[in-house]
Amino acid sequence: MTDQPRRKDLLDIQSLSVDEVNGILDAAVPFKDLFKRSVKKVPTLKGKQVLTLFYEPSTRTKSSFEIAAKRLSADVTNFSVSTSSVVKGESVLDTIDTLQAMRTDYVIIRHQMSGVPEMIARHTDASVINAGDGYHAHPTQALLDAYTVRETFGEIAGRRILIVGDIKHSRVARSTSRILKMLGADVRVFGPGTLVPDDRPEWLQAFANWDAAFAWKPDAIYLLRVQRERQDDQFFPSVQEYHKFFGITAQRFARVRDEGIYIMHPGPVNRGVELVDAVMDYDRSLINQQVENGIATRMAVLYWLKPQSTPLPG
Ligand code: CP
Protein backbone atom coordinates (compact mmCIF):
# COMPACT_ATOMS: atom_id res chain seq x y z
CA MET A 1 0.00 0.00 0.00
CA THR A 2 2.78 2.47 0.84
CA ASP A 3 4.16 2.34 -2.76
CA GLN A 4 0.87 3.53 -4.27
CA PRO A 5 0.44 7.23 -5.06
CA ARG A 6 -1.76 8.86 -2.49
CA ARG A 7 -5.36 9.72 -3.33
CA LYS A 8 -6.94 12.76 -1.76
CA ASP A 9 -10.51 11.46 -1.52
CA LEU A 10 -12.63 8.33 -1.41
CA LEU A 11 -15.83 9.08 -3.33
CA ASP A 12 -16.89 5.80 -4.92
CA ILE A 13 -15.69 2.28 -5.72
CA GLN A 14 -15.39 2.54 -9.50
CA SER A 15 -12.57 5.09 -9.18
CA LEU A 16 -10.42 2.50 -7.37
CA SER A 17 -8.19 -0.13 -8.94
CA VAL A 18 -8.26 -3.75 -7.80
CA ASP A 19 -4.78 -3.19 -6.26
CA GLU A 20 -6.04 -0.19 -4.31
CA VAL A 21 -9.05 -2.13 -3.00
CA ASN A 22 -6.85 -5.05 -1.98
CA GLY A 23 -4.39 -2.60 -0.38
CA ILE A 24 -7.13 -1.13 1.82
CA LEU A 25 -8.49 -4.58 2.74
CA ASP A 26 -4.97 -5.81 3.60
CA ALA A 27 -4.32 -2.74 5.76
CA ALA A 28 -7.55 -3.39 7.68
CA VAL A 29 -6.24 -6.76 8.94
CA PRO A 30 -3.67 -5.40 11.46
CA PHE A 31 -6.15 -2.70 12.48
CA LYS A 32 -8.70 -5.40 13.33
CA ASP A 33 -6.01 -7.28 15.30
CA LEU A 34 -5.64 -4.14 17.45
CA PHE A 35 -9.17 -4.67 18.77
CA LYS A 36 -7.97 -7.72 20.75
CA ARG A 37 -5.41 -5.64 22.64
CA SER A 38 -6.18 -3.86 25.91
CA VAL A 39 -4.94 -0.58 24.36
CA LYS A 40 -6.74 -0.23 21.01
CA LYS A 41 -5.16 3.06 20.01
CA VAL A 42 -2.20 3.85 17.69
CA PRO A 43 -0.66 7.30 17.04
CA THR A 44 -1.06 7.14 13.21
CA LEU A 45 -3.22 10.28 12.88
CA LYS A 46 -2.03 12.17 15.96
CA GLY A 47 -2.56 15.89 15.40
CA LYS A 48 -4.99 15.38 12.49
CA GLN A 49 -8.48 16.84 12.57
CA VAL A 50 -11.45 14.79 11.34
CA LEU A 51 -14.86 16.34 10.79
CA THR A 52 -18.02 14.26 10.39
CA LEU A 53 -20.83 16.02 8.57
CA PHE A 54 -24.04 13.95 8.35
CA TYR A 55 -27.03 15.54 6.61
CA GLU A 56 -28.89 12.20 6.88
CA PRO A 57 -29.39 9.96 9.93
CA SER A 58 -26.78 7.30 10.67
CA THR A 59 -25.95 5.00 13.55
CA ARG A 60 -23.30 2.61 12.21
CA THR A 61 -21.35 4.72 9.73
CA LYS A 62 -21.07 7.83 11.88
CA SER A 63 -20.09 6.07 15.11
CA SER A 64 -17.80 3.70 13.23
CA PHE A 65 -15.88 6.58 11.63
CA GLU A 66 -15.66 8.35 14.98
CA ILE A 67 -14.27 5.25 16.72
CA ALA A 68 -11.91 4.56 13.78
CA ALA A 69 -10.52 8.11 13.84
CA LYS A 70 -10.12 8.09 17.63
CA ARG A 71 -8.33 4.71 17.55
CA LEU A 72 -5.89 6.37 15.14
CA SER A 73 -5.48 9.24 17.69
CA ALA A 74 -7.11 11.90 15.48
CA ASP A 75 -9.22 14.70 16.95
CA VAL A 76 -12.85 14.31 15.88
CA THR A 77 -15.54 16.97 15.60
CA ASN A 78 -19.09 15.82 14.89
CA PHE A 79 -20.85 18.65 13.09
CA SER A 80 -24.49 18.60 14.11
CA VAL A 81 -26.54 19.61 11.09
CA SER A 82 -29.81 20.01 13.03
CA THR A 83 -28.31 22.54 15.48
CA SER A 84 -26.08 24.37 12.98
CA SER A 85 -26.59 27.36 10.71
CA VAL A 86 -27.65 24.89 8.00
CA VAL A 87 -31.16 25.21 9.44
CA LYS A 88 -30.87 28.98 8.77
CA GLY A 89 -30.24 28.24 5.09
CA GLU A 90 -26.42 28.09 4.96
CA SER A 91 -25.32 26.23 1.82
CA VAL A 92 -23.15 23.09 1.92
CA LEU A 93 -20.23 24.95 0.30
CA ASP A 94 -20.47 27.90 2.70
CA THR A 95 -20.53 25.42 5.57
CA ILE A 96 -17.43 23.72 4.17
CA ASP A 97 -15.65 27.09 3.73
CA THR A 98 -16.35 27.90 7.35
CA LEU A 99 -15.13 24.52 8.53
CA GLN A 100 -12.11 24.65 6.19
CA ALA A 101 -11.02 27.82 7.97
CA MET A 102 -10.69 25.58 11.03
CA ARG A 103 -8.00 23.54 9.17
CA THR A 104 -9.78 20.22 8.97
CA ASP A 105 -7.72 17.37 7.46
CA TYR A 106 -10.63 15.03 6.68
CA VAL A 107 -14.29 15.70 5.91
CA ILE A 108 -16.55 12.65 6.21
CA ILE A 109 -19.88 13.49 4.63
CA ARG A 110 -23.26 11.84 4.20
CA HIS A 111 -25.83 13.71 2.12
CA GLN A 112 -29.23 12.89 0.65
CA MET A 113 -28.18 14.26 -2.76
CA SER A 114 -25.93 12.23 -5.05
CA GLY A 115 -22.75 14.09 -5.99
CA VAL A 116 -22.41 16.39 -2.96
CA PRO A 117 -19.21 14.66 -1.68
CA GLU A 118 -17.59 15.09 -5.10
CA MET A 119 -18.57 18.76 -5.21
CA ILE A 120 -17.01 19.28 -1.78
CA ALA A 121 -13.89 17.36 -2.75
CA ARG A 122 -13.35 19.79 -5.65
CA HIS A 123 -13.79 22.71 -3.29
CA THR A 124 -11.54 21.81 -0.36
CA ASP A 125 -7.96 20.70 0.27
CA ALA A 126 -9.15 18.29 2.97
CA SER A 127 -9.54 14.59 2.19
CA VAL A 128 -13.23 13.93 1.57
CA ILE A 129 -14.75 10.54 2.35
CA ASN A 130 -18.20 9.76 1.01
CA ALA A 131 -20.23 8.20 3.84
CA GLY A 132 -23.24 7.73 1.52
CA ASP A 133 -24.74 10.12 -1.06
CA GLY A 134 -28.30 9.67 -2.29
CA TYR A 135 -28.71 6.63 -4.53
CA HIS A 136 -25.12 6.94 -5.75
CA ALA A 137 -22.43 5.37 -3.56
CA HIS A 138 -21.45 4.12 -0.12
CA PRO A 139 -17.81 3.09 -0.66
CA THR A 140 -16.87 2.32 2.94
CA GLN A 141 -19.91 0.03 3.28
CA ALA A 142 -18.67 -1.80 0.17
CA LEU A 143 -15.17 -2.12 1.62
CA LEU A 144 -16.42 -3.51 4.93
CA ASP A 145 -18.70 -5.93 3.06
CA ALA A 146 -15.80 -7.13 0.90
CA TYR A 147 -13.64 -7.50 4.01
CA THR A 148 -16.37 -9.56 5.69
CA VAL A 149 -16.78 -11.87 2.67
CA ARG A 150 -13.00 -12.35 2.44
CA GLU A 151 -12.68 -13.00 6.18
CA THR A 152 -15.56 -15.50 6.15
CA PHE A 153 -14.70 -17.46 3.00
CA GLY A 154 -10.93 -16.97 2.75
CA GLU A 155 -11.29 -15.39 -0.69
CA ILE A 156 -13.90 -13.48 -2.63
CA ALA A 157 -13.21 -14.85 -6.13
CA GLY A 158 -15.76 -17.48 -7.14
CA ARG A 159 -18.18 -16.78 -4.27
CA ARG A 160 -21.86 -16.43 -5.12
CA ILE A 161 -23.54 -13.47 -3.46
CA LEU A 162 -27.27 -12.82 -3.89
CA ILE A 163 -28.42 -9.25 -3.16
CA VAL A 164 -32.13 -9.05 -2.32
CA GLY A 165 -34.45 -6.06 -2.18
CA ASP A 166 -34.58 -2.49 -3.34
CA ILE A 167 -31.75 -2.45 -5.88
CA LYS A 168 -33.09 0.70 -7.55
CA HIS A 169 -32.69 3.10 -4.62
CA SER A 170 -29.75 1.44 -2.90
CA ARG A 171 -26.30 3.02 -2.85
CA VAL A 172 -25.23 -0.06 -0.88
CA ALA A 173 -26.30 -2.40 -3.71
CA ARG A 174 -24.54 -0.19 -6.25
CA SER A 175 -21.21 -0.05 -4.35
CA THR A 176 -21.16 -3.54 -2.82
CA SER A 177 -22.11 -5.36 -6.03
CA ARG A 178 -19.36 -3.47 -7.85
CA ILE A 179 -16.59 -4.19 -5.34
CA LEU A 180 -17.49 -7.89 -5.10
CA LYS A 181 -17.58 -8.16 -8.90
CA MET A 182 -14.17 -6.38 -9.12
CA LEU A 183 -12.75 -8.98 -6.75
CA GLY A 184 -14.10 -11.94 -8.73
CA ALA A 185 -17.38 -12.82 -7.02
CA ASP A 186 -20.50 -13.79 -8.96
CA VAL A 187 -23.17 -11.31 -7.86
CA ARG A 188 -26.86 -11.57 -8.71
CA VAL A 189 -29.99 -9.77 -7.55
CA PHE A 190 -33.61 -10.49 -6.68
CA GLY A 191 -36.39 -8.13 -5.68
CA PRO A 192 -39.72 -6.59 -6.63
CA GLY A 193 -39.83 -5.97 -10.40
CA THR A 194 -40.42 -2.28 -9.68
CA LEU A 195 -37.19 -2.10 -7.65
CA VAL A 196 -34.80 -4.04 -9.92
CA PRO A 197 -33.74 -1.58 -12.62
CA ASP A 198 -33.57 -2.76 -16.26
CA ASP A 199 -30.50 -0.59 -16.89
CA ARG A 200 -28.28 -2.46 -14.40
CA PRO A 201 -24.84 -3.70 -15.61
CA GLU A 202 -25.03 -6.76 -17.88
CA TRP A 203 -23.06 -8.88 -15.34
CA LEU A 204 -25.71 -8.27 -12.67
CA GLN A 205 -28.31 -10.88 -13.58
CA ALA A 206 -31.66 -10.94 -11.79
CA PHE A 207 -33.72 -13.90 -10.59
CA ALA A 208 -37.49 -14.03 -11.08
CA ASN A 209 -38.29 -15.91 -7.85
CA TRP A 210 -36.79 -17.43 -4.68
CA ASP A 211 -36.76 -20.99 -6.09
CA ALA A 212 -34.48 -19.93 -8.94
CA ALA A 213 -32.31 -17.94 -6.52
CA PHE A 214 -31.93 -20.89 -4.09
CA ALA A 215 -31.25 -23.28 -6.99
CA TRP A 216 -28.21 -21.10 -7.88
CA LYS A 217 -26.72 -22.13 -4.47
CA PRO A 218 -25.65 -18.73 -3.12
CA ASP A 219 -22.88 -18.66 -0.49
CA ALA A 220 -24.40 -15.57 1.10
CA ILE A 221 -27.67 -13.67 0.84
CA TYR A 222 -27.27 -9.92 1.28
CA LEU A 223 -30.60 -8.41 2.38
CA LEU A 224 -31.08 -4.71 1.67
CA ARG A 225 -33.02 -2.44 3.95
CA VAL A 226 -36.43 -1.38 2.62
CA GLN A 227 -35.87 2.37 2.21
CA ARG A 228 -39.28 3.97 2.42
CA GLU A 229 -37.62 7.41 2.72
CA ARG A 230 -36.12 7.13 -0.80
CA GLN A 231 -39.25 5.79 -2.49
CA ASP A 232 -41.24 8.65 -3.95
CA ASP A 233 -43.85 6.17 -5.17
CA GLN A 234 -45.52 2.97 -3.95
CA PHE A 235 -43.29 0.17 -5.31
CA PHE A 236 -45.00 -2.71 -3.47
CA PRO A 237 -48.42 -2.96 -1.78
CA SER A 238 -47.29 -3.14 1.88
CA VAL A 239 -44.37 -4.21 4.07
CA GLN A 240 -46.35 -7.35 4.95
CA GLU A 241 -46.55 -8.24 1.24
CA TYR A 242 -42.84 -7.43 0.87
CA HIS A 243 -41.98 -9.83 3.69
CA LYS A 244 -44.18 -12.56 2.24
CA PHE A 245 -42.70 -12.39 -1.25
CA PHE A 246 -39.15 -11.08 -0.78
CA GLY A 247 -38.20 -11.45 2.89
CA ILE A 248 -36.51 -14.29 4.77
CA THR A 249 -39.69 -15.77 6.26
CA ALA A 250 -39.60 -18.60 8.84
CA GLN A 251 -40.00 -21.10 5.99
CA ARG A 252 -37.20 -19.60 3.89
CA PHE A 253 -35.00 -19.32 6.98
CA ALA A 254 -35.29 -23.09 7.46
CA ARG A 255 -33.93 -23.51 3.93
CA VAL A 256 -31.16 -20.95 4.53
CA ARG A 257 -30.09 -22.87 7.67
CA ASP A 258 -30.31 -26.30 6.01
CA GLU A 259 -28.14 -25.11 3.13
CA GLY A 260 -25.67 -23.25 5.41
CA ILE A 261 -26.13 -19.95 3.58
CA TYR A 262 -24.65 -16.86 5.28
CA ILE A 263 -26.78 -13.76 5.81
CA MET A 264 -25.60 -10.17 5.45
CA HIS A 265 -27.41 -6.84 5.93
CA PRO A 266 -26.01 -3.29 6.01
CA GLY A 267 -28.40 -2.21 8.78
CA PRO A 268 -30.53 -0.84 10.17
CA VAL A 269 -32.64 -4.02 10.01
CA ASN A 270 -36.43 -3.84 9.70
CA ARG A 271 -37.41 -6.95 11.68
CA GLY A 272 -40.43 -8.68 10.20
CA VAL A 273 -39.82 -7.02 6.83
CA GLU A 274 -36.45 -8.09 5.37
CA LEU A 275 -36.15 -10.99 7.83
CA VAL A 276 -37.75 -12.79 10.76
CA ASP A 277 -36.26 -12.15 14.23
CA ALA A 278 -34.62 -15.57 14.42
CA VAL A 279 -32.17 -14.64 11.64
CA MET A 280 -30.53 -12.13 14.00
CA ASP A 281 -29.43 -15.02 16.27
CA TYR A 282 -28.37 -17.34 13.43
CA ASP A 283 -24.75 -18.46 13.76
CA ARG A 284 -24.17 -17.68 10.09
CA SER A 285 -25.54 -14.15 10.33
CA LEU A 286 -22.63 -11.82 9.53
CA ILE A 287 -24.51 -8.66 10.48
CA ASN A 288 -22.56 -7.89 13.68
CA GLN A 289 -19.29 -8.93 12.03
CA GLN A 290 -20.02 -6.35 9.30
CA VAL A 291 -20.34 -3.65 11.98
CA GLU A 292 -17.06 -4.65 13.67
CA ASN A 293 -15.28 -4.80 10.32
CA GLY A 294 -16.59 -1.33 9.55
CA ILE A 295 -14.25 0.13 12.17
CA ALA A 296 -11.17 -1.72 10.88
CA THR A 297 -11.84 -0.88 7.21
CA ARG A 298 -12.55 2.79 8.02
CA MET A 299 -9.27 2.94 9.98
CA ALA A 300 -7.60 1.54 6.84
CA VAL A 301 -9.28 4.17 4.65
CA LEU A 302 -8.18 7.03 6.93
CA TYR A 303 -4.67 5.58 6.94
CA TRP A 304 -4.68 5.13 3.14
CA LEU A 305 -5.65 8.77 2.57
CA LYS A 306 -2.98 10.04 4.95
CA PRO A 307 -0.42 12.33 3.23
CA GLN A 308 2.75 10.42 4.03
CA SER A 309 3.18 6.69 4.54
CA THR A 310 3.19 5.48 8.10
CA PRO A 311 4.06 1.97 9.27
CA LEU A 312 1.08 -0.23 10.05
CA PRO A 313 0.81 -1.36 13.68
CA GLY A 314 2.93 -4.46 14.21
N1 CP B 1 -25.10 0.78 6.82
C1 CP B 1 -25.34 2.07 7.12
O1 CP B 1 -25.01 2.97 6.34
O2 CP B 1 -25.94 2.27 8.32
P1 CP B 1 -26.23 3.69 8.99
O3 CP B 1 -27.29 4.36 8.15
O4 CP B 1 -26.68 3.39 10.40
O5 CP B 1 -24.95 4.48 8.95
Side-chain angles (χ1 to χ4, degrees), residues 57-61 110 138 141 266-267:
S58 167
T59 300
R60 277 144 286 270
T61 312
R110 170 172 290 189
H138 195 347
Q141 178 71 44

Side-chain angles (χ1 to χ4, degrees), residues 241-256:
E241 294 287 314
Y242 181 92
H243 180 66
K244 184 172 163 193
F245 291 105
F246 302 101
I248 299 292
T249 57
Q251 201 179 16
R252 288 188 195 113
F253 181 43
R255 188 160 181 185
V256 163

Side-chain angles (χ1 to χ4, degrees), residues 54 56-64 110 131-132 138 140-141 144-145 171-172 222 225 229-230 265-268 290-291 298:
F54 279 64
E56 268 192 349
S58 167
T59 300
R60 277 144 286 270
T61 312
K62 188 172 179 212
S63 54
S64 172
R110 170 172 290 189
H138 195 347
T140 59
Q141 178 71 44
L144 76 87
D145 289 336
R171 57 194 177 208
V172 173
Y222 193 114
R225 181 173 71 84
E229 77 277 15
R230 284 194 215 293
H265 192 300
Q290 286 172 271
V291 174
R298 289 179 176 119

